[in-house]
Structures are given as structure tokens and as C-alpha cells.
């Protein structure tokens, strides 16, 4: 027998693989290369998932503090024990690190951070520029070039109310450019005095420009000047015996007045500001946000961030502010009912985000204090309603566990349904509910990809189940994913139940209880039949609260399936074969349809007829003809 260094080349060349560092050892390993500069650090788990994101003025000092376990709360000790590696990004200042930290938290959603679950984009009022007759409309998402914006608004309802009132007062068009260019007579909005009908030249470009200027003045906070000018114009028209014109201006003034009176609170002493009030109760937190722009209330919304029970209000407010303004510009002032942690640093970071100074104020007197108190009352009431609903839902989930013999009340119930018309525009949907009610951010739509025989609901359900449960972590195929349900509810009868059960068995998923809910022969609500493995079909008493709850889950899935199907069908209706023809854009498409009346007419046209259409040359005509008449 010889040793490894006695001619054993292959043995001597083997490298001993070190076991991966864990917990404090992983942190010590990372500290060897972490600098003292400002920046952001990420603590990663065994699968590379982000456990925690933090910022620091000195990265090395801050990360070193995690080695003193006896000084950390239990939650952070747990986090350290799960850490396997760390990543850092250095920044020039601590304020920049704070902004980057908020951005990472919002994108990565680490489990040990305070999380603002806000996947909603906020609507704005948009006025298009670069057109003789600018359009005013609602817009979400990425800004459009050559447009002016006002907002944000808390909801679509708030912005629609404002747009409705602006239409009454300033008569700007809301239709698209394509509709404007193709109309031959005024639409209903002109008849009800909500538009000046620039589509058919009922208003000159100069008169329309004056309306646009008045709208801009109003939305910019100069409402008094606009109203005064309208009153003077009405009086001049009346003196000139132009009574119809005077009456039209009078109607505009009435709409203008109702606009000034709209909203819950319209504080005259506040120009542009957000009012944010925090309220805590029973380990939960609600933040109520009011958007005030040009002394008008643009609506309000409640937020319920996820955090540990022992997180302090100041820390929650600080995290909320940075995450909330991560994808939107902060206003010049933010009025609060309490101070956030690191007040000056948060103010500096928001100032960097805005490009100008941002003040974080806690008013002590006057109208501003009253507005903050009003927001605080709304926060308290919203949290009390949520806690009451959660308590009620908790009892219902206990009842669900009892009815279906589950080991524990389900924390996540997934309800499935599908919708199609003879196999066309087929969609399957997943609705999620739990102790907090419906979790709409977790809803999913499944556009059916495979061929579906008309009426083959089983085939649709099979595809949905395969796409939902077919992907598992290859490194841990036996580990249950965190987002899997505790109960799977199917809208259907025994056939759907058997189809779903067969698919899950093929996929090796055997730890998810399956229940199907089907209406009786007369489809009366309250006489539903339930199907569950190992039991005969059964019904619940018609007045059982658990039955009502299960009906709500089923009805929500049905609603979501129908609206998803309708949206897909509407989108398909708006498209045509012409959209697939190379070289055919919106202008040429409109010209072809105006000339031939339909796609069928275009298909039947000869090359000579196609060339006669404005904008269609011989090359484009040959392309169109070849598309519809392939050799």
C-alpha cells in the first residue's frame, strides 16, 4: 500500500471540496472583502434566494454587527442562521444606498424585510401635445413622449371623476387620433355638451387652443383666474345679446364650480403634498395616503405592509416612504402623523429621487394638522375593518378545515375555473384566498396553448394543472414549494375532479387536498355538491357560513375567468389579418378598410385595385396580394 505522494498522480491532483459556509461563518468569509464604504448588502440563502437587503454608511461595520448574535432579536438570529453568502453594491453616499435598498426590496421581496405589497400603477391625467386638437385622457405606466401630465391619482375612479368634470367645463376631446380623423359627424359627447367636436370642425384650432390653455391653468392650480375669465366672457356675450353663447359659458361655469367642490378634503393651504398617516393595532399596520395636488384631493388609498410583530412604527414608516416613492416622483412636501426613522436621511434620499428638496413635516396646528388627523382616522378605521374581516375569515377557514378534514386551517386556497366559446379564446384562471381575504396579486391567467376540442373542459384543466404544478426545483424535487396551496378548489363536478387528480398523480403531487364544487341539476346556489377523495358526494346545510364562503371563492374564480375571456376576445376582435401583412401600418390599414369595407374586400381585390388606394404603391400591392393568395 502506498501513500498519495508515492506516484499517485490522480490522487494527488484531487481537490478537497470545502463544505459551504453557514450562518456567522458565511458572514465572516464575506467580511474579508467587504469595504468600509457606503452601500447595500444582500444576505442570500442556500438556493441563492435573497433573505434580507440592508444599507449602511459603512458596510463592514454594519455587517460585522450580525456576528454578535446575543445582541440580535430572535428573528435576525434566524436570518443569520439561514445565510449562506452575501453580495454587496457600493454607493457614493448613504442616501444613494437608501434608495438602492428600497429598489432592491421592492423587486426581490426578501422575507426578513418590511415589505410594501404595491404592484399597482397609478393613473395620471395626460394631455397630448404636438396636435392641432390635443386629447385629454387617463394614462398609466410609462410616460408618452410629447405629453403633459397631472397626478398621480389614487384610483381609476378618482381620475375618471376629474376627467368627467373637465369635459363638462373645458370641452376637450377624449377620443383617440384615429377616431378623430375618421368621424363624419359629432358623437354623443358633443350632444350632451362634453366635447367641442373638433372632429367635424365645430370649433376652430384657435378656439380649441384657448380651451387647452384654460385646462392647463386649472390643472396647474390657477382655478380662480380661469373662473373669473369665464364669468367676464359670459357677461360680454350677454351684453352682446349672444344668449346661446352665454348659456354655453354658464354651463361650463356650473361644471367648473362642481369641480371645485368635489373631493373629501380640498385644503386651500396645501398646494402639492401627500398626506401619510400610520396606525398600528394588534401587531398590524395601516398607512393611509392622500394625494393633494394644486389644493385638490386626488383620492386616497390604504396600505398594509408586511412586517414582524416587533417592528417599530418609525422603521415601518421609513421603509414605506422609500418603497412607495421608488417608482414615482415624491411631491415637495409629505405631511406625516409621526416621524420616520432617520428622518434627515430619508428626506435627503427622497430629494435625490425628486431632483429637488422634499420636506417631511409633522404639522402641529391649523388646517394641515386637521388634514393629517383626518388621514389618521381613515387609517385607524381601515385597519379595524381589516382586523374584523381577518377574524371572521379565520373562523371560516377553521370551518373549511373541519368540513374537508384538513390537518390545519388552510393558509392558501387556490380556486380554478376556465372559460371559452367553442374552444376559442380559451383561458384558465387561478384565484387565491387566505387569512387576509383574496390575494389578487397572486391571481394567474393561463392562455390555453394546446388545441382544445370544443367543450373539452377536462383538457383545459389538464393543461392548467400541468403548467401550475409541473415546474419544480431540480435540486430539491421532493421539497414542497412555498407558494403551493393547502387546498385546491375546482369549479366543476366529478369529471373535473378526476381529471385534476389524475394530472397531479402523474406529476407526483400527492400532498394537496382536492375538492370540486358543482351546482345541482337546477343550478341553484345553495344546493352545491362537493366531491372529495375517499368520500361520497355530499352537500352542506343551505345556511352554513362555510358554504357561503366556498360559493364566494367559486364565484370569484368564475368572474375572473369570464372577464379574462372577454378581454382576450375583445383584443382578438380589434386585430385583423392586415396586421400580419408586412409594410401595413395603421394608416395604410385604415385606407384599405375605408376603400374595400372589410378584410374580405381587401382579400378579393386585384393588384390594380389595391394600387388605387392612397399610400399603396405597386410593391406594397404585390405584398398584400401575395399574402392573401399564396402560390
Amino acid at each position: 500500500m502506498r501513500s498519495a505522494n508515492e506516484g499517485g498522480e490522480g490522487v494527488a491532483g484531487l481537490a478537497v471540496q470545502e463544505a459551504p459556509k453557514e450562518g456567522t461563518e458565511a458572514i465572516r468569509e464575506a467580511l474579508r472583502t467587504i469595504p468600509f464604504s457606503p452601500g447595500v448588502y444582500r444576505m442570500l440563502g442556500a438556493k441563492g434566494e435573497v433573505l434580507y437587503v440592508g444599507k449602511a454608511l459603512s458596510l463592514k461595520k454594519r455587517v460585522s454587527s450580525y456576528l454578535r448574535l446575543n445582541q440580535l432579536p430572535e428573528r435576525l438570529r434566524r436570518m443569520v442562521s439561514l445565510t449562506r453568502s452575501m453580495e454587496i453594491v457600493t454607493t457614493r453616499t448613504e442616501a444613494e444606498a437608501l434608495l438602492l435598498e428600497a429598489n432592491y426590496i421592492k423587486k426581490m421581496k426578501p422575507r426578513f424585510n418590511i415589505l410594501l405589497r404595491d404592484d399597482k400603477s397609478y393613473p395620471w391625467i395626460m394631455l397630448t401635445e404636438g396636435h392641432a386638437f390635443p386629447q385629454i385622457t387617463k394614462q398609466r405606466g410609462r410616460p408618452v413622449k410629447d405629453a403633459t401630465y397631472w397626478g398621480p391619482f389614487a384610483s381609476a375612479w378618482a381620475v375618471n371623476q376629474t376627467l368627467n368634470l373637465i369635459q363638462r367645463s373645458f370641452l376637450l376631446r377624449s377620443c383617440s387620433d384615429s377616431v378623430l380623423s375618421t368621424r363624419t359627424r359629432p358623437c354623443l359627447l358633443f350632444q350632451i355638451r362634453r366635447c367641442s367636436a373638433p372632429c367635424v370642425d365645430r370649433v376652430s384650432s384657435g378656439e380649441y387652443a384657448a380651451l387647452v390653455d384654460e385646462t392647463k391653468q386649472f390643472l396647474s392650480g390657477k382655478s380662480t383666474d380661469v373662473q373669473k375669465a369665464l364669468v367676464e366672457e359670459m357677461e360680454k356675450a350677454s351684453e352682446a345679446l349672444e344668449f346661446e353663447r352665454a348659456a354655453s359659458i354658464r354651463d361650463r361655469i356650473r361644471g367648473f364650480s362642481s369641480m371645485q367642490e368635489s373631493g373629501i378634503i380640498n385644503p386651500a393651504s396645501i398646494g402639492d403634498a401627500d398626506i401619510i398617516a400610520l396606525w398600528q393595532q394588534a401587531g398590524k399596520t395601516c398607512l393611509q395616503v392622500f394625494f393633494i395636488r394644486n389644493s385638490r384631493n386626488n383620492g386616497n388609498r390604504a396600505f398594509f405592509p408586511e412586517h414582524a410583530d416587533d417592528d417599530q412604527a418609525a422603521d415601518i414608516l421609513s421603509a414605506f416612504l422609500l418603497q412607495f416613492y421608488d417608482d414615482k416622483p415624491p411631491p415637495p412636501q409629505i405631511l406625516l402623523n409621526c416621524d420616520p426613522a432617520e428622518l434627515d436621511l430619508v428626506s435627503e434620499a427622497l430629494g435625490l429621487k425628486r431632483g429637488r428638496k422634499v420636506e417631511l413635516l409633522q404639522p402641529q396646528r391649523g388646517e394641515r394638522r386637521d388634514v393629517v388627523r383626518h388621514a389618521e382616522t381613515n387609517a385607524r378605521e381601515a385597519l379595524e375593518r381589516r382586523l374584523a374581516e381577518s377574524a371572521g375569515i379565520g373562523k371560516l377557514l377553521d370551518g373549511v378545515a373541519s368540513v374537508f378534514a384538513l390537518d390545519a386551517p388552510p393558509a392558501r386556497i387556490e380556486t380554478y375555473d376556465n372559460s371559452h366559446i367553442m374552444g376559442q379564446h380559451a383561458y384558465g384562471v387561478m384565484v387565491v384566498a387566505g387569512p387576509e381575504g383574496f390575494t389578487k396579486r397572486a391571481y394567474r391567467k393561463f392562455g390555453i396553448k394546446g388545441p382544445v376540442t370544443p367543450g373539452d373542459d377536462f383538457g383545459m384543466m389538464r393543461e392548467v394543472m400541468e403548467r401550475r404544478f409541473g415546474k419544480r426545483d431540480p435540486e430539491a424535487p421532493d421539497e414542497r414549494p412555498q407558494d403551493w396551496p393547502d387546498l385546491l378548489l375546482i369549479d366543476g363536478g366529478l369529471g373535473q375532479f378526476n381529471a385534476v387528480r389524475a394530472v397531479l398523480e402523474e406529476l407526483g403531487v400527492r400532498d394537496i387536498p382536492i375538492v370540486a364544487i358543482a351546482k345541482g341539476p337546477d343550478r341553484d346556489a345553495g344546493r352545491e355538491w362537493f366531491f372529495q377523495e375517499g368520500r361520497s358526494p355530499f352537500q352542506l346545510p343551505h345556511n352554513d357560513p362555510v358554504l357561503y364562503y366556498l360559493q364566494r371563492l367559486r364565484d370569484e374564480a368564475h368572474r375572473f375567468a369570464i372577464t379574462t375571456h372577454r378581454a382576450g376576445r375583445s383584443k382578438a376582435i380589434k386585430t385583423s389579418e392586415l396586421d400580419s401583412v408586412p409594410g401595413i401600418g395603421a394608416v395604410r390599414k385604415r385606407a384599405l378598410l375605408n376603400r374595400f369595407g372589410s378584410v374580405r374586400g381587401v382579400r378579393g381585390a386585384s393588384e390594380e385595385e389595391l394600387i388605387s388606394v392612397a399610400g399603396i404603391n405597386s410593391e406594397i400591392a404585390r405584398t398584400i396580394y401575395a399574402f392573401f393568395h399564396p402560390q
Side-chain angles (χ1 to χ4, degrees):
M1 195 170 182
R2 61 181 181 177
S3 63
N5 56 3
E6 292 179 352
E9 274 185 3
V11 177
L14 289 175
V16 178
Q17 186 175 2
E18 295 184 7
K21 301 290 194 300
E22 299 181 3
T24 55
E25 291 301 317
I27 294 175
R28 285 194 178 92
E29 179 69 21
L31 280 170
R32 294 170 56 185
T33 56
I34 291 180
F36 285 95
S37 58
V40 174
Y41 59 92
R42 301 196 296 270
M43 310 182 88
L44 309 180
K47 298 179 182 178
E49 73 277 15
V50 180
L51 300 173
Y52 182 79
V53 176
K55 61 86 188 168
L57 178 61
S58 171
L59 284 169
K60 200 174 192 73
K61 290 183 179 179
R62 181 70 183 93
V63 173
S64 298
S65 67
Y66 290 105
L67 299 177
R68 299 187 287 272
L69 294 178
N70 60 332
Q71 298 179 14
L72 299 178
E74 176 59 30
R75 182 174 62 93
L76 294 186
R77 288 199 294 269
R78 170 68 174 161
M79 179 187 72
V80 170
S81 70
L82 295 174
T83 301
R84 297 296 179 268
S85 62
M86 294 189 66
E87 294 178 349
I88 67 162
V89 177
T90 59
T91 59
R92 291 178 298 176
T93 65
E94 189 179 10
E96 289 181 355
L98 194 60
L99 289 175
L100 183 60
E101 175 197 36
N103 181 265
Y104 281 168
I105 291 172
K106 198 161 187 179
K107 287 181 178 179
M108 301 174 182
K109 297 178 174 55
R111 56 186 287 197
F112 288 97
N113 280 98
I114 297 170
L115 298 180
L116 169 61
R117 299 287 187 177
D118 180 27
D119 53 1
K120 171 183 177 181
S121 62
Y122 291 84
W124 296 65
I125 287 179
M126 178 182 73
L127 182 67
T128 60
E129 305 286 358
H131 194 288
F133 301 104
Q135 171 200 23
I136 192 162
T137 186
K138 173 179 63 179
Q139 202 264 345
R140 291 180 185 265
R142 199 173 285 179
V144 176
K145 187 179 179 182
D146 297 327
T148 306
Y149 288 87
W150 288 271
F153 289 77
S155 63
W157 180 87
V159 73
N160 287 339
Q161 287 290 102
T162 302
L163 281 174
N164 183 41
L165 293 170
I166 287 176
Q167 285 180 326
R168 291 173 56 189
S169 299
F170 302 108
L171 309 179
L172 299 189
R173 72 175 176 99
S174 58
C175 60
S176 65
D177 292 349
S178 60
V179 172
L180 177 75
S181 62
T182 56
R183 288 206 66 87
T184 57
R185 60 179 182 178
C187 67
L188 179 62
L189 289 177
F190 174 77
Q191 305 296 334
I192 62 175
R193 298 178 184 177
R194 299 292 176 89
C195 180
S196 54
C199 54
V200 290
D201 299 324
R202 294 298 179 94
V203 60
S204 68
S205 58
E207 292 171 332
Y208 195 89
L211 295 174
V212 171
D213 184 61
E214 290 175 354
T215 303
K216 288 182 176 180
Q217 290 185 59
F218 169 75
L219 290 172
S220 299
K222 300 177 182 177
S223 56
T224 304
D225 296 340
V226 177
Q227 189 171 25
K228 186 181 297 184
L230 286 175
V231 171
E232 292 176 358
E233 187 178 354
M234 181 182 66
E235 291 176 349
K236 288 179 181 179
S238 180
E239 291 173 0
L241 305 181
E242 299 175 355
F243 298 119
E244 289 186 6
R245 182 164 171 267
S248 175
I249 299 172
R250 178 205 61 199
D251 293 340
R252 291 180 58 198
I253 293 173
R254 287 176 177 174
F256 186 86
S257 300
S258 65
M259 195 184 316
Q260 290 180 304
E261 295 167 1
S262 66
I264 301 172
I265 50 173
N266 294 288
S269 63
I270 302 175
D272 290 348
D274 285 346
I275 318 299
I276 302 179
L278 178 147
W279 190 267
Q280 287 188 306
Q281 186 174 331
K284 303 294 182 181
T285 302
C286 175
L287 292 116
Q288 189 77 225
V289 180
F290 281 81
F291 299 97
I292 307 297
R293 298 295 182 269
N294 299 314
S295 300
R296 287 191 305 278
N297 176 22
N298 282 358
N300 63 294
R301 188 180 174 207
F303 298 86
F304 303 90
E306 296 179 7
H307 61 85
D309 292 343
D310 57 351
D311 282 329
Q312 300 300 309
D315 295 323
I316 296 171
L317 181 55
S318 179
F320 173 84
L321 290 171
L322 272 299
Q323 293 178 48
F324 182 70
Y325 292 110
D326 175 64
D327 58 354
K328 62 182 72 67
Q333 287 188 344
I334 301 174
L335 306 184
L336 307 166
N337 69 330
C338 62
D339 287 335
E342 300 179 298
L343 172 64
D344 294 337
L345 182 61
V346 172
S347 179
E348 181 185 353
L350 293 178
L352 287 175
K353 182 75 177 176
R354 181 171 182 260
R356 284 181 288 176
K357 182 179 180 181
V358 174
E359 293 183 300
L360 303 180
L361 305 174
Q362 189 177 344
Q364 301 299 320
R365 62 181 65 86
E367 186 180 43
R368 296 188 174 201
R369 185 192 64 174
D370 294 340
V371 170
V372 172
R373 291 282 178 87
H374 177 76
E376 185 177 80
T377 300
N378 277 265
R380 174 177 55 79
E381 293 174 349
L383 184 57
E384 289 174 349
R385 286 193 300 270
R386 190 177 182 90
L387 291 173
E389 291 171 359
S390 297
I393 292 175
K395 293 181 180 179
L396 291 172
L397 293 176
D398 289 339
V400 169
S402 176
V403 167
F404 299 123
L406 305 180
D407 294 335
R412 181 182 174 104
I413 301 176
E414 292 182 1
T415 309
Y416 291 84
D417 193 10
N418 54 49
S419 180
H420 64 98
I421 295 180
M422 298 297 291
Q424 299 296 312
H425 315 301
Y427 287 89
V429 299
M430 176 185 83
V431 167
V432 180
E436 301 296 329
F438 290 108
T439 310
K440 294 194 174 183
R441 65 176 179 272
Y443 285 17
R444 283 187 62 183
K445 307 172 185 177
F446 301 88
I448 303 302
K449 300 176 181 178
V452 178
T453 302
D456 186 10
D457 288 346
F458 302 156
M460 291 180 60
M461 194 62 71
R462 166 177 285 275
E463 179 177 331
V464 170
M465 292 297 117
E466 289 175 346
R467 289 166 61 182
R468 171 66 179 99
F469 298 103
K471 296 180 180 179
R472 307 180 77 164
D473 187 352
E475 297 181 1
D478 297 327
E479 184 173 335
R480 176 189 172 97
Q482 292 184 351
D483 66 342
W484 277 17
D486 302 307
L487 176 65
L488 201 154
L489 188 64
I490 304 298
D491 183 11
L494 184 60
Q496 282 85 352
F497 173 82
N498 289 331
V500 170
R501 182 177 60 179
V503 175
L504 295 188
E505 287 180 354
E506 290 177 11
L507 297 174
V509 179
R510 299 181 178 85
D511 58 346
I512 300 178
I514 307 169
V515 173
I517 175 174
K519 291 183 179 179
D522 52 4
R523 303 187 64 81
D524 282 344
R527 301 184 63 186
E528 284 82 355
W529 285 93
F530 293 90
F531 301 86
Q532 188 178 14
E533 189 170 6
R535 302 175 65 177
S536 300
F538 63 95
Q539 292 178 300
L540 296 177
H542 72 279
N543 59 350
D544 190 335
V546 174
L547 174 62
Y548 297 149
Y549 178 65
L550 296 170
Q551 288 172 346
R552 283 183 58 201
L553 299 181
R554 186 266 320 277
D555 293 343
E556 172 67 3
H558 186 64
R559 178 203 65 79
F560 190 46
I562 291 294
T563 55
T564 300
H565 164 74
R566 287 175 178 169
R569 187 179 62 191
S570 298
K571 184 178 179 180
I573 290 172
K574 292 178 182 177
T575 61
S576 73
E577 289 181 273
L578 290 175
D579 295 319
S580 303
V581 180
I584 299 298
V587 175
R588 285 174 175 161
K589 175 184 173 183
R590 184 165 61 249
L592 288 166
L593 292 176
N594 288 340
R595 170 66 175 81
F596 298 106
S598 66
V599 175
R600 178 180 296 179
V602 177
R603 183 187 294 111
S606 65
E607 288 189 37
E608 291 75 16
E609 290 174 318
L610 292 170
I611 294 174
S612 67
V613 178
I616 305 297
N617 56 31
S618 58
E619 182 180 352
I620 295 296
R622 282 195 298 272
T623 301
I624 298 172
Y625 190 83
F627 178 84
F628 287 111
H629 304 88
Q631 298 298 325

